[in-house]
Amino acid sequence: MPRGAGVVYRSFGAADAETTALRLRAVARRRGLHLLIGQDAGLAARIGADGVHLPERLAHRAQTLKRSHPGWIVTAAAHSLAAARVAGPDAVVISAAFPSRSASAGAPLGPVRLAALVRTAARPAYALGGVNDKTARRLLDAGLIGFAAVEGLAP
């Protein structure tokens, strides 16, 4: 991954979450990456992460987290226009952009609906799910110039 890229660690309540997060933080720092912790602000604070990634249902907590931790990067999942409009997150991760083999991927949005969510978000937006060389070209063709596309961020 290029320097400055972000990684999201979603521990899902794993017993070794803190140990794993500390290891990931060390790797991220060495490589110039930003480590966000999925949903767990307590874990993010304990290990000195760069921020938190919130699931869509918790996106409304972004402003409170930003006030409590002004240096954090706070992102949120957005699967709908309403979610893309929620105030507070620094960026949104919109999924599923295209068909994906991920077990958590929903119905693919495709470039037209994805573009509508990006415009609605009015902040940095990242596509997740099924993004590859071929589908990234479709994003460019849909006028999503400067839109960062990422695949496989279940970090």
Side-chain angles (χ1 to χ4, degrees):
M1 295 179 76
R3 294 182 72 75
V7 174
V8 178
Y9 171 51
R10 300 182 341 179
S11 66
F12 297 115
D16 65 344
E18 194 158 328
T19 301
T20 300
L22 285 167
R23 286 181 179 159
L24 287 170
R25 186 195 68 187
V27 171
R29 296 259 161 81
R30 275 195 312 274
R31 295 183 181 180
L33 306 174
H34 298 286
L35 176 63
L36 307 183
I37 303 297
Q39 184 176 328
D40 191 340
L43 176 59
R46 285 192 308 277
I47 65 119
D50 298 304
V52 176
H53 174 72
L54 300 169
E56 183 176 273
R57 71 181 187 287
L58 299 178
H60 64 279
R61 296 184 182 171
Q63 288 181 321
T64 301
L65 285 170
K66 291 292 289 180
R67 280 193 297 274
S68 300
H69 304 278
W72 274 9
I73 299 166
V74 179
T75 64
H79 307 290
S80 66
L81 288 172
R85 289 185 188 113
V86 171
D90 297 306
V92 293
V93 178
I94 301 171
S95 69
F98 297 100
S100 173
R101 292 184 308 241
S102 171
S104 63
L109 294 165
V112 174
R113 286 188 294 167
L114 181 66
L117 266 72
V118 169
R119 283 189 299 277
T120 297
R123 72 191 88 205
Y126 299 89
L128 179 67
V131 179
N132 56 38
D133 290 343
K134 182 179 176 183
T135 58
R137 171 61 51 196
R138 290 179 62 197
L139 296 178
L140 289 173
D141 292 345
L144 295 171
I145 307 294
F147 181 84
V150 292
E151 169 65 20
L153 284 187

